[in-house]
């Protein structure tokens, strides 16, 4: 199930392939980045988006610039790659996975003794990150599926699906695994202003799988909860600090409303999303551009001189989270974020 | 302050003038309805909208069809007018004010002894409804202004401003009266999906008055509350039953989030909005069309085969409402909705 690979490394032509998510659901098109600048642009415009996918993209990006560099020595290569990596890291500051994926490959590259070793190590580690991401999503799906009732309606926000990962998805991975295991699951996708990832992407990918999905405006969720039409909320995460979950703007609202109606609120995220030393107040929340709010082609919705605010993420304190679903299992309050994150180090790099 | 009259009766040409709100903020244009069908169409397309304005529109509509009828007897006239009135009533089922305004003029018309008396009574009563609406908004403004801190930021949803009434506004009337009284008030306008009345209308009318306003997506409000950037919420209402406030979809979410952050949540509405014998579960909530959610000209945001739900209103139980601000004063829990509504009968029709 799922639309297949969301992004991949094309070794033959030394380029990164991806589904251009800005064009969905009207048009399914794949595209390629041959330079790290093109990759950064695809990330900034959200052609590539979703925390786990950004981890894979970061890895692929470091591999790409390592393998396409014209540097004349290993030392110059490392200097160039590190510079590009820092720039790529800055393209989306809030999701920790981007940095995590970049650092995974950087760490492999700096151990190389020769230029060709750097190139092969970079690619091998990047492909390993992508394989782990896919495996991780399936494990999250299995663990999370057990939490869902046998016949239920799940509210999700934004897109934490196959399109946000290399495949399968985190929040939607939970739905997919539950359906694969024989449960009846209907999904309510909140449209996710301003860029409609819920309306455009979540509905599209569930449609491919034949999983029933209905789209609502973000503000309609509470009303459906009041009517008893939502059994639980499952969302992804862009960063989990010791005190809060960072995710697409609107997540916090769903968490508050879920608590108000005594509905479980689950976060499904790989351990690469964890930032145990981070504090909510210290994380930079990306403020995106005015145009995303102020209208659409041919239509102005906000007068030109009226200011807008467009934070891409909000923060949900952990006390509103019923459980966090990871590849290593399901955790509930009180959360030991550092302890959970430690399992990751042990599994993959210990 | 305010953009002046939102709708008016043009006696010379026997037609109803209004600001076409579908064109704001790009274009300020007035338009006219010469038949009740045109008026119904203007209401259905939300060119005329807002609960108090619908009350005035209902009154004007009954006056218009009384005065332009070609019925050859008083009996036939009354029959025709009643038929048109029932049709007009059905154009927006949730806001009680539309019915209320229609009934005010119908009651005047049926007492007429002659055809010309019916015409003059209809117009006199409709103009009286419009005058009362303007006066009522100013009274709501005065009562509500006392609740606002001297220097504060108010969140409002949709447009409960001059553009929702004949002038001044209810929720925005409170803001205007506070500013007129020397208070410093900044407004956060949530954009109000799907039709952006907050982004388009609230920001536009406050801009005309020089009152500072910032537009956010509906889902950003909770995040600002968490940061301490919102001091209170003030919204309008389309109907207040003995157990709940019906207002634009998204209001309930703001109410839950306000309660979660211990922020006052105020409803500003004329007594004509009260429906004390109504129950939340019995009121028809208008479900609007798919196109409002599924995209915009030139862009599809929801795949064609994915269902959407588009209720125009939600319901906020009274226990989440800190105070209801009316023309007769400010009321707090426990609410005696029938008792408050009774003051209206006494004031205007007793």
């Amino acid at each position: 199930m799922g639309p297949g690979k969301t992004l991949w490394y094309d070794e033959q032509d030394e380029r990164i392939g991806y589904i251009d998510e800005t064009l969905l659901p009207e048009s399914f098109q794949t595209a390629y980045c041959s330079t790290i600048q093109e990759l950064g642009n695809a990330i900034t415009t959200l052609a590539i988006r979703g925390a786990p996918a950004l981890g894979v993209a970061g890895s692929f990006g470091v591999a790409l610039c390592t393998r396409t560099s014209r540097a004349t020595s290993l030392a110059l290569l490392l200097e160039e790659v590190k510079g590009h990596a820092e720039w790529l890291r800055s393209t989306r500051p809030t999701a920790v996975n981007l940095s995590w994926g970049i650092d995974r490959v950087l760490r492999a590259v700096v151990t190389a003794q020769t230029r060709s070793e750097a190139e092969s190590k970079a690619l091998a580690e990047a492909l390993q990150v992508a394989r782990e991401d896919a495996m991780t999503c399936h494990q999250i799906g299995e663990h999370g599926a057990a939490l869902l009732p046998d016949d239920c309606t799940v509210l999700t926000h934004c897109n934490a699906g196959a399109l946000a990962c290399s495949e399968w998805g985190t929040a939607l991975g939970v739905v997919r695994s539950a359906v694969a295991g024989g449960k009846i699951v209907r999904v309510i996708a909140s449209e996710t202003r301003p860029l409609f990832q819920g309306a455009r992407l979540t509905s599209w990918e569930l449609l491919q799988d034949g999983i029933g999905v209905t789209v609502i405006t973000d503000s309609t969720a509470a009303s459906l909860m009041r009517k008893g039409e939502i059994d639980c909320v499952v969302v992804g995460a862009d960063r989990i600090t010791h005190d809060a979950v960072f995710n697409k703007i609107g997540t916090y609202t769903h968490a508050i409303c879920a608590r108000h109606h005594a509905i479980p609120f689950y976060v499904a995220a790989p351990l690469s999303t964890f930032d145990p030393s981070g504090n909510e107040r210290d994380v930079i929340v990306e403020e995106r551009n005015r145009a995303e709010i102020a209208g659409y082609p041919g239509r102005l919705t906000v007068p030109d001189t009226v200011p807008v605010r467009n934070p891409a993420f909000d923060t949900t304190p952990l006390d509103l989270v019923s459980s966090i679903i990871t590849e290593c299992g399901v955790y509930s309050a009180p959360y030991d974020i550092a302890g959970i994150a430690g399992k990751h180090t042990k599994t993959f790099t210990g």
Side-chain angles (χ1 to χ4, degrees), chain A:
Chain A
M1 288 197 294
K5 290 281 184 202
T6 299
L7 72 172
W8 60 94
Y9 199 93
D10 175 359
E11 291 176 56
Q12 178 139 13
D13 293 323
E14 291 293 357
R15 56 186 188 168
I16 299 165
Y18 62 97
I19 298 172
D20 184 346
E21 304 196 6
T22 62
L23 304 177
L24 288 170
E26 291 169 304
S27 173
F28 177 87
Q29 289 186 32
T30 54
Y32 293 89
C33 305
S34 298
T35 66
I36 200 150
Q37 287 75 20
E38 286 173 11
L39 177 63
N41 188 46
I43 290 172
T44 308
T45 59
L46 306 192
I48 298 173
R49 35 69 49 202
L54 289 175
V56 176
S59 295
F60 283 173
V62 177
L64 180 70
C65 64
T66 302
R67 295 167 66 84
T68 57
S69 167
R70 295 182 181 181
T72 50
S73 72
L74 180 62
L76 286 171
L77 172 71
L78 293 181
E79 193 179 327
E80 181 187 325
V81 169
K82 283 180 189 169
H84 283 318
E86 289 321 302
W87 175 79
L88 186 63
R89 199 191 299 276
S90 71
T91 55
R92 296 215 76 191
T94 310
V96 72
N97 310 60
L98 178 60
S99 276
W100 172 87
I102 288 168
D103 289 334
R104 278 282 297 266
V105 179
L106 272 186
R107 279 199 301 272
V109 170
V110 296
T111 64
Q113 300 298 316
T114 65
R115 181 159 174 151
S116 91
E117 194 192 348
E119 289 180 20
S120 61
K121 280 195 162 186
L123 181 60
E125 185 69 3
L127 294 176
Q128 175 63 13
V129 166
R131 273 192 301 274
E132 286 175 14
D133 179 66
M135 186 175 70
T136 292
C137 285
H138 284 272
Q139 291 168 332
I140 288 171
E142 287 300 313
H143 290 305
L147 296 174
L148 300 192
D150 288 344
D151 185 336
C152 66
T153 301
V154 172
L155 170 70
T156 190
H157 189 60
C158 195
N159 174 265
L163 291 169
C165 308
S166 60
E167 62 179 65
W168 202 248
T170 53
L172 297 190
V174 170
V175 170
R176 286 199 166 89
S177 293
V179 170
K183 294 188 177 184
I184 297 167
V185 185
R186 293 163 297 277
V187 174
I188 304 277
S190 43
E191 62 174 9
T192 314
R193 279 285 291 157
L195 292 177
F196 301 106
Q197 293 95 332
R200 294 192 298 111
L201 306 180
T202 293
S203 72
W204 182 82
E205 68 164 270
L206 293 176
L207 187 63
Q208 310 309 306
D209 283 2
I211 297 173
V213 56
T214 298
V215 173
I216 59 170
T217 64
D218 302 327
S219 278
T220 302
S223 187
L224 297 187
M225 289 180 186
R226 180 164 170 79
K227 290 176 184 153
E229 297 187 29
I230 291 172
D231 298 299
C232 64
V233 185
V234 188
V235 297
D238 290 89
R239 184 188 291 247
I240 301 176
T241 58
H242 78 90
D243 51 357
V245 173
F246 288 72
N247 195 44
K248 177 59 55 188
I249 190 84
T251 302
Y252 177 46
T253 306
H254 287 334
I256 294 168
C257 292
R259 172 61 52 92
H260 184 79
H261 296 92
I263 293 168
F265 179 87
Y266 301 124
V267 174
L271 295 174
S272 57
T273 310
F274 283 53
D275 172 25
S277 62
N279 294 302
E280 178 188 349
R281 66 175 180 281
D282 297 333
V283 175
I284 296 168
V285 170
E286 179 186 357
E287 180 94 17
R288 293 183 60 86
N289 65 57
R290 171 186 180 85
E292 291 178 358
I293 306 280
Y296 47 81
R299 184 77 216 252
L300 183 76
T301 55
V302 182
D304 280 335
T305 53
V306 169
V308 306
R309 290 178 67 178
N310 184 13
F313 303 94
D314 62 23
T315 55
T316 300
L318 293 178
D319 62 13
L320 290 178
V321 178
S322 306
S323 297
I324 301 178
I325 305 161
T326 76
E327 63 270 38
C328 289
V330 174
Y331 300 91
S332 298
Y335 296 99
D336 170 16
I337 296 299
I340 305 171
K343 294 180 188 292
H344 190 239
T345 315
K346 212 165 160 185
T347 312
F348 290 127
T349 60

